[in-house]
Amino acid sequence: MARNAEKAMTALARFRQAQLEEGRVKERRPFLASECNELPKAEKWRRQIISEVSKKVAQIQNAGLGEFRIRDLNDEINKLLREKRHWEVRIKELGGPDYARFGPRMLDHEGKEVPGNRGYKYFGAARDLPGVRELFETEPSPAQRKTRGELMKDVDAEYYGYRDEDDGVLVPLETQYEKQAMMEAVQKWRTEKESRLSGDKPEEEEEESIYTVHHEEPEDEERWDEPEGEEGGVAFIAHVPVPSQKEVEEALVRRKKMELLQRYASESLQAQSQEARTLLGL
């Protein structure tokens, strides 16, 4: 019985709707945009799709609809957006304006694309669904290492410490430690002077000359009769001429000059130098 009543109510509703739309024929939107050959109708279907998208975008903002309903609404919105692009292409083919280039894109910009998944967008509460929120969380990019040129930009006088005294803190500290070091040095000098005057500190041994010749004393059987010098010392007898320290230094300087001439001077300059030395008798 209830089933028949439901049918009657449905029929009554259909009849009432037919009376309201009497004289008007409700046209259905074509499934394919290529089936439409009239520019005004294509504009009409595009506006109808935009109206449907606006309603569904407003509905999907409600997070209390539930996960499944939100996902369905998001799929329907993406489907309508794809259909809108098809109608825009058809409008351009029919000689109409290019909405893909100049038209408003407010509805498209309300959605957010997942990085790496171009085309599918999430609107409203769909962006906070489990599994979707993690897709938008991007890891922070690692800090890039500076190049040598960028590092050299920071190298200035302050880097080398030439501006350390500009803050007015280092100079007073250096002055204080300098006075303290001077006082300690003066005190040490006075102490050493008093100790030398009192005779407590032995005199420092004189630096041994590098030209001193030491002779090993032969054994008793092989000991020769050597002439004794003053104060019982053994006199040194040189059988060959021994150069002095000054002569050795001059010989080293001459040798160094010759090496530099041979390395850097040309052959003509060397010949002139040799000729000059020959004329001078050197």
Side-chain angles (χ1 to χ4, degrees), residues 13-251:
R14 292 178 185 173
F15 179 73
R16 182 62 180 167
Q17 185 69 21
Q19 286 183 340
L20 293 175
E21 297 180 358
E22 186 176 0
R24 293 186 302 170
V25 179
K26 188 174 182 180
E27 189 176 3
R28 185 177 181 181
R29 185 170 70 234
F31 182 76
L32 297 176
S34 58
E35 297 177 359
C36 180
N37 297 321
E38 300 179 8
L39 182 60
K41 287 188 177 181
E43 295 274 5
K44 172 186 174 183
W45 302 133
R46 178 181 176 277
R47 289 193 298 269
Q48 184 182 22
I49 293 173
I50 292 176
S51 177
E52 294 178 5
V53 172
S54 300
K55 292 178 182 179
K56 293 184 183 295
V57 169
Q59 293 177 10
I60 203 172
Q61 305 297 328
N62 183 11
L65 295 176
E67 179 181 352
F68 299 102
R69 178 57 182 162
I70 291 174
R71 290 185 184 274
D72 292 341
L73 281 173
N74 197 76
D75 292 339
E76 293 173 4
I77 293 172
N78 281 275
K79 182 179 179 181
L80 288 172
L81 289 177
R82 288 195 298 270
E83 189 175 356
K84 180 175 74 71
R85 286 192 287 271
H86 293 327
W87 281 105
E88 289 174 352
V89 172
R90 184 58 180 168
I91 290 172
K92 183 180 178 182
E93 292 175 354
L94 295 174
D98 188 3
Y99 290 105
R101 185 174 182 182
F102 303 105
R105 303 179 182 180
M106 295 178 59
L107 297 174
D108 294 351
H109 284 234
E110 289 184 3
K112 191 173 182 182
E113 291 184 7
V114 177
N117 187 12
R118 186 175 180 181
Y120 194 88
K121 298 182 179 181
Y122 292 89
F123 297 83
R127 289 178 289 193
D128 297 328
L129 293 174
V132 178
R133 189 186 305 108
E134 291 78 3
L135 298 177
F136 294 106
E137 295 178 356
T138 57
E139 298 181 357
S141 58
Q144 297 182 354
R145 296 183 60 183
K146 292 185 177 181
T147 60
R148 183 179 294 273
E150 294 175 349
L151 293 175
M152 291 302 296
K153 291 180 181 179
D154 300 330
V155 177
D156 51 6
E158 187 175 359
Y159 175 82
Y160 290 103
Y162 292 125
R163 297 179 183 173
D164 292 346
E165 301 176 356
D166 294 349
D167 55 0
V169 178
L170 187 61
V171 174
L173 293 175
E174 288 181 348
T175 305
Q176 179 182 354
Y177 284 108
E178 185 178 356
K179 291 180 179 179
Q180 183 178 354
M182 290 176 64
M183 292 176 62
E184 292 177 356
V186 171
Q187 185 66 27
K188 182 179 179 182
W189 176 78
R190 289 178 178 175
T191 305
E192 293 178 355
K193 183 177 180 181
E194 292 176 357
S195 62
R196 285 199 302 270
L197 293 176
S198 62
D200 297 340
K201 185 176 180 181
E203 296 183 357
E204 296 181 355
E205 296 180 357
E206 296 182 356
E207 185 178 357
E208 185 178 1
S209 177
I210 61 173
Y211 298 103
T212 304
V213 180
H214 299 279
H215 293 277
E216 296 182 357
E217 295 183 357
E219 297 180 359
D220 295 340
E221 297 179 357
E222 299 179 357
R223 183 173 298 177
W224 300 335
D225 294 335
E226 298 177 352
E228 295 183 358
E230 297 180 357
E231 298 181 359
V234 178
F236 172 73
I237 300 176
H239 299 283
V240 293
V242 178
S244 63
Q245 183 177 359
K246 185 177 181 180
E247 294 175 350
V248 172
E249 293 176 354
E250 292 177 354

